[in-house]
């Protein structure tokens, strides 16, 4: 500690000596430095704020569109803020997000919750198991197994669509949540291989001392894993859980494959068919208009669809509101970027 | 019990490792290896839907010939999606790197900005993104407004300006797509030791030089990770047209064999692309090894 301090001081002295050498400017060096610092600070904030606008734009767009009434849409003075706060769009969207006549929003919502939170929870534990094996042990076949994980990460799901669908219909799992939950329970499912890689990376960096101490004290490998290593992996578990929830919630590819009747649609799908109903009406209404004109004068059904979009994404927004810190920090703490 | 005592530590270790891994391996066989093999087999067959399920009928390379000659949709789609990836990946990487460098500066409100930059990952993906694209939400009024166009058309010739503004439109999508990549770069930047920059500063290196000589080489592994992630992420993206086409072929036209064939062609091309990525990175990765 002390030696590093004195080193810092040495560097400072060296720097100030060099600064002295630079003082041939019209302004004193410190003032000039301060001015450039302030300018760079201001431009940093300007750039960041401009970029932030692009990133918040989708949310602003959804909120603003979803609150607009027909009168606001046709009124050219209304750009962003509707004339009156009107939640009628939300009422209609809430009804439509059930997907079919005998379902409500909450049915589709419940299915989405089971699929995303259920799969995420299972993936956390199953991927941790595989990650622990590959992050801590060296065994014959290690390289082969590691390559299998990488391979599973890189295979496009497009390629195995047909056999997977066949497999799940043989099991009579179509229109249930099993095609999401069961592969997740085995460390697969949506981006399962990526999660295994995260755990491998994390376990790989933990010190071996704790584990060895537990083993010497007579704990079995499984007990060591469960009581010592897994609790240590909490940051990685958090990353995997949060990302898995969000990705499952937003995913359209697997639900569209395995949930095939509107009675078993989840939220992202009911939003999709809501728009399907809407767009056919739009086509009829705007068939004479060019694409550019349609964007300006979007028929009011789209405002309802935007209300639907808000309703379908609101649970994730609330989750993000409370866990934002973990999302952003945990990637660092989990050491995904390790080696 | 007696038998277990006779195991050497090494055998026990191997057994333990495989017992931890077994669940995943069984899953791999069930949900990856067997489907992959079956889909390869199907790609050489025509599948008939009967009461007993799918009945394969061997037709050799006919499906592949169809993909490359008679199917008018497939080749353009394939070109589009591969070309789209080739353009998108570098754009996302450059933007994510730029954003990560900005967000890595010590400043007030850093957590806030990071949270904002990650927002599109939460909302602008999947079904919601599709709905918004349908409404033209990716076309920010900033770029499409006629006043901007009219203001710039005097300075920049129309032929240059129009594609430029279209590109700006596309950039919003690139930016929305780069949330995770920004986080990965940020995490990478944090692992670079500050003393390296101090040393470079004392030796008189400019910020620009120390970026190319320190930051860039140190985060090459993250560039590889991000490249792979961007490619893999595009498979299940709601905007992946290959996915939509295969779904259409399989579930609307019930052409299971042909669906498997185009799936495999896509797979092979993607693997060639990924192989190329690894080839490009091999040299730079081996040179950074052991520096950490």
């Amino acid at each position: 500690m002390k030696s590093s301090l004195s080193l810092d001081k040495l560097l400072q002295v060296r720097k100030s000596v060099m600064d002295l050498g630079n003082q041939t400017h019209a302004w004193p060096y410190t003032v000039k430095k301060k001015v450039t610092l302030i300018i760079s600070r201001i431009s940093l904030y300007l750039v960041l704020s401009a970029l932030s606008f692009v990133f918040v734009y989708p949310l602003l767009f959804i909120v603003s569109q979803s609150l607009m009434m027909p009168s606001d849409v046709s009124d050219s003075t209304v750009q962003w803020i509707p004339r009156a706060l009107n939640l009628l769009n939300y009422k209609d969207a809430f009804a439509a997000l059930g997907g079919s006549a005998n379902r409500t929003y909450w049915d589709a919502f419940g299915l989405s919750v089971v699929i995303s939170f259920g799969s995420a929870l299972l993936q956390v534990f199953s991927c941790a198991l595989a990650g622990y094996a590959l992050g801590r042990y060296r065994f014959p076949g290690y390289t082969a197994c590691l390559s299998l994980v990488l391979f599973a990460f890189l295979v496009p799901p497009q390629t195995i669509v047909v056999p997977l669908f066949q497999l799940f219909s043989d099991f009579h799992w179509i229109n249930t949540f099993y095609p999401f939950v069961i592969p997740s329970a085995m460390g697969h499912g949506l981006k399962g291989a990526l999660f295994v890689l995260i755990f491998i990376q994390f376990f790989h960096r933990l010190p071996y001392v704790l584990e060895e101490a537990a083993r010497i004290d007579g704990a079995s490998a499984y007990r060591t894993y469960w009581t010592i290593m897994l609790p240590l992996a909490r940051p990685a578990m958090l990353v995997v859980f949060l990302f898995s929830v969000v990705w499952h919630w937003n995913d359209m590819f697997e639900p569209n494959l395995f949930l095939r009747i509107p009675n078993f649609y989840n939220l992202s799908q009911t939003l999709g068919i809501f728009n399907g109903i809407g767009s056919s009406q739009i086509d009829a209404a705007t068939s004479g208009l060019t694409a550019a004109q349609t964007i300006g004068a979007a028929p009011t059904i789209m405002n309802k669809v935007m209300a639907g979009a808000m309703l379908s994404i609101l649970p994730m927004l609330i989750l993000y509101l409370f866990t934002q810190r973990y999302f952003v920090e945990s990637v660092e703490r989990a050491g995904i970027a390790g080696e | 019990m007696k038998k277990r005592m006779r195991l050497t530590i090494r055998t026990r270790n191997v057994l333990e490792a495989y017992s931890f891994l077994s669940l995943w391996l069984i899953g791999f066989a069930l949900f990856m290896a067997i489907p992959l093999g079956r889909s390869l087999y199907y790609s050489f067959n025509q599948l008939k839907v009967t009461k007993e399920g799918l009945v394969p009928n061997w037709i050799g390379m006919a499906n592949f010939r169809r993909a490359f000659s008679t199917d008018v949709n497939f080749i353009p789609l394939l070109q589009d999606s591969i070309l789209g990836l080739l353009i998108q990946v570098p754009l996302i990487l450059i933007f994510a790197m730029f954003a990560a460098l900005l967000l890595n500066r010590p400043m007030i409100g850093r957590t806030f900005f990071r949270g904002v930059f990650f927002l599109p990952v939460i909302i602008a993906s999947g079904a919601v993104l599709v709905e918004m694209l349908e409404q033209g939400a990716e076309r920010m009024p900033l770029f499409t407004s006629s006043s901007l166009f009219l203001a710039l058309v005097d300075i920049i010739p129309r032929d240059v300006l129009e594609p430029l503004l279209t590109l700006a439109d596309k950039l919003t999508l690139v930016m929305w797509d780069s949330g995770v990549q920004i986080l990965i770069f940020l995490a990478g930047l944090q692992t670079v030791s500050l003393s390296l920059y101090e040393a470079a500063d004392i030796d008189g290196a400019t910020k620009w030089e120390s970026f190319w000589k320190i930051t860039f080489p140190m985060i090459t592994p993250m560039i590889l990770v991000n490249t792979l992630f961007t490619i893999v992420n595009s498979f299940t993206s709601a905007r992946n047209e290959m996915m939509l086409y295969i779904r259409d072929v399989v579930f609307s036209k019930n052409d299971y064999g042909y669906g498997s064939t185009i799936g495999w062609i896509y797979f092979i091309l993607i693997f060639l692309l990924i192989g190329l990525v690894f080839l490009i990175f091999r040299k730079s990765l081996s040179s950074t090894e052991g520096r950490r």
Side-chain angles (χ1 to χ4, degrees):
Chain A
M1 194 64 202
K2 212 170 188 182
S3 70
S4 76
L5 263 177
S6 63
L7 185 69
D8 277 352
K9 243 178 212 161
L10 253 176
L11 292 179
Q12 259 175 19
V13 170
R14 196 177 153 184
K15 225 177 158 185
S16 52
V17 169
M18 287 173 74
D19 287 351
L20 273 177
N22 282 338
Q23 274 191 10
T24 45
H25 311 284
W27 282 5
Y29 184 73
T30 44
V31 174
K32 194 188 170 190
K33 203 171 180 186
K34 221 166 216 170
V35 170
T36 47
L37 191 77
I38 289 169
I39 291 175
S40 80
R41 236 332 102 76
I42 290 174
S43 50
L44 177 67
Y45 278 111
L46 276 179
V47 171
L48 278 180
S49 313
L51 287 177
S52 297
F53 176 71
V54 179
F55 285 91
V56 185
Y57 182 79
L59 191 59
L60 290 179
F61 184 85
I62 295 176
V63 171
S64 147
Q65 292 289 316
S66 67
L67 291 173
M68 283 195 189
M69 288 284 105
S71 58
D72 294 320
V73 175
S74 54
D75 189 343
S76 60
T77 59
V78 175
Q79 277 276 331
W80 282 95
I81 303 161
R83 287 190 175 269
L85 192 67
N86 203 326
L87 294 177
L88 265 180
N89 285 334
Y90 280 92
K91 214 181 132 205
D92 290 347
F94 192 81
L97 280 184
S100 65
N102 50 354
R103 274 171 111 229
T104 64
Y105 169 82
W106 298 111
D107 290 317
F109 172 81
L111 190 60
S112 274
V113 168
V114 169
I115 288 174
S116 54
F117 283 83
S119 304
L121 206 64
L122 289 167
Q123 269 182 336
V124 164
F125 287 100
S126 58
C127 295
L129 267 180
Y132 182 71
L134 289 167
R136 302 302 273 189
Y137 286 96
R138 287 290 175 278
F139 49 89
Y142 168 81
T143 328
C145 289
L146 194 64
S147 325
L148 284 188
V149 178
L150 253 181
F151 182 76
F153 175 55
L154 297 174
V155 171
Q158 281 89 331
T159 312
I160 51 173
V161 157
V162 176
L164 267 191
F165 181 75
Q166 202 189 2
L167 181 78
F168 292 138
S169 43
D170 285 348
F171 289 158
H172 300 288
W173 283 356
I174 302 300
N175 295 326
T176 66
F177 53 79
Y178 293 119
F180 309 91
V181 172
I182 304 292
S184 297
M186 305 182 99
H188 292 264
L190 189 66
K191 295 214 167 62
L194 175 64
F195 297 141
V196 174
L197 289 172
I198 291 176
F199 277 114
I200 292 176
Q201 190 67 47
F202 185 85
F203 280 121
H204 188 69
R205 297 189 327 162
L206 289 179
Y208 282 81
V209 189
L210 280 169
E211 210 175 10
E212 273 161 12
R215 295 306 289 276
I216 287 166
D217 285 349
S220 71
Y222 311 105
R223 192 156 164 218
T224 314
Y225 169 73
W226 184 251
T227 54
I228 294 175
M229 298 312 279
L230 198 60
L232 283 177
R234 255 186 232 132
M237 291 167 84
L238 196 65
V239 182
V240 168
F241 181 75
L242 289 176
F243 275 88
S244 181
V245 166
V246 169
W247 280 334
H248 271 103
W249 190 276
N250 286 330
D251 184 37
M252 290 174 73
F253 138 75
E254 280 194 332
N256 277 334
L257 284 184
F258 305 131
L259 305 172
R260 305 206 58 83
I261 309 174
N263 265 336
F264 300 102
Y265 276 3
N266 72 358
L267 267 185
S268 67
Q269 286 175 292
T270 54
L271 179 64
I273 53 166
F274 186 7
N275 170 52
I277 304 163
S279 55
S280 60
Q281 286 175 12
I282 293 164
D283 290 343
T286 60
S287 50
L289 298 176
T290 62
Q293 280 169 308
T294 345
I295 288 161
T300 50
I301 178 82
M302 286 320 280
N303 299 92
K304 289 182 182 153
V305 172
M306 282 300 115
M310 190 67 206
L311 282 178
S312 80
I313 214 63
L314 197 62
M316 286 301 103
L317 269 181
I318 294 170
L319 179 79
Y320 186 56
L321 203 65
F322 290 108
T323 54
Q324 190 249 79
R325 203 163 61 87
Y326 300 107
F327 266 105
V328 180
E329 284 171 10
S330 55
V331 173
E332 280 157 29
R333 271 188 292 149
I336 288 170
E339 278 116 73
Chain B
M1 199 61 201
K2 216 173 178 185
K3 204 178 170 200
R4 208 181 136 212
M5 299 295 278
R6 249 184 271 140
L7 292 175
T8 60
I9 289 179
R10 194 171 157 65
T11 353
R12 215 171 66 200
N13 259 342
V14 172
L15 284 182
E16 276 166 18
Y18 274 105
S19 64
F20 278 121
L21 202 55
S22 56
L23 193 66
W24 191 87
L25 283 176
I26 295 167
F28 182 84
L30 262 178
F31 303 118
M32 189 59 74
I34 294 174
L36 210 55
R38 270 180 136 175
S39 132
L40 183 62
Y41 174 66
Y42 288 162
S43 65
F44 295 105
N45 286 275
Q46 191 167 33
L47 294 182
K48 283 242 165 60
V49 188
T50 61
K51 272 179 194 151
E52 296 91 57
L54 297 174
V55 178
N57 174 28
W58 186 269
I59 51 167
M61 297 295 286
N63 278 333
F64 287 89
R65 274 202 296 275
R66 181 177 152 198
F68 286 111
S69 56
T70 39
D71 189 342
V72 286
N73 298 321
F74 177 65
I75 292 294
L77 254 179
L78 196 65
Q79 273 176 349
D80 280 358
S81 55
I82 299 289
L83 211 68
L85 261 183
L86 286 179
I87 297 169
Q88 208 191 6
V89 168
L91 281 181
I92 288 185
L93 287 182
I94 292 169
F95 177 74
M97 175 95 81
F98 175 68
L101 285 172
L102 287 185
L103 291 173
N104 199 35
R105 301 267 198 98
M107 58 178 171
I108 307 157
R110 191 160 79 154
T111 324
F112 168 76
F113 281 122
R114 286 181 182 193
V116 166
F117 276 49
F118 195 68
L119 198 60
V121 179
I122 312 282
I123 55 169
S125 56
V128 174
L129 182 68
V130 173
E131 301 305 337
M132 290 186 21
L133 293 187
E134 209 144 286
Q135 279 226 55
E138 86 281 17
R139 318 192 64 185
M140 310 258 298
L142 200 65
F143 299 124
T144 46
S145 71
S146 50
S147 55
L148 181 73
F149 184 80
L150 290 176
L152 287 175
V153 82
D154 295 333
I155 316 165
I156 310 168
R158 180 179 281 265
D159 294 335
V160 181
L161 184 63
E162 268 172 8
L164 216 64
L165 287 179
T166 331
L167 190 71
D169 271 352
K170 290 236 170 65
L171 279 184
T172 55
L173 279 179
V174 165
M175 284 155 85
W176 292 352
D177 262 350
S178 46
V180 175
Q181 287 88 335
I182 292 175
L183 282 193
I184 292 175
F185 272 142
L186 263 177
L189 287 175
Q190 314 256 305
T191 62
V192 184
S193 154
L194 280 177
S195 55
L196 284 176
Y197 293 107
E198 265 165 31
D201 189 35
I202 288 162
D203 287 346
T206 59
K207 285 264 161 67
W208 177 252
E209 281 166 337
S210 50
F211 171 77
W212 286 107
K213 299 287 179 195
I214 301 171
T215 316
F216 194 76
M218 289 304 272
I219 61 171
T220 324
M222 265 60 75
I223 300 176
L224 175 64
V225 169
N226 272 339
T227 309
L228 294 183
F229 180 83
T230 311
I231 294 175
V232 169
N233 208 32
S234 77
F235 300 154
T236 49
S237 151
R239 283 179 291 124
N240 187 315
E241 293 191 19
M242 191 51 78
M243 172 58 80
L244 298 179
Y245 185 60
I246 290 178
R247 234 176 59 207
D248 184 51
V249 165
V250 170
F251 293 109
S252 305
K253 303 192 178 109
N254 286 324
D255 207 340
Y256 295 95
Y258 186 55
S260 301
T261 309
I262 51 182
W264 261 90
I265 296 173
Y266 186 61
F267 177 38
I268 290 166
L269 275 176
I270 290 288
F271 247 66
L272 289 178
L273 196 68
I274 288 168
L276 193 73
V277 169
F278 270 110
L279 215 65
I280 293 169
F281 277 90
R282 200 184 51 182
K283 235 182 164 178
S284 49
L285 275 182
S286 59
S287 69
T288 49
E289 226 153 72
R291 267 198 217 167
R292 228 158 254 282

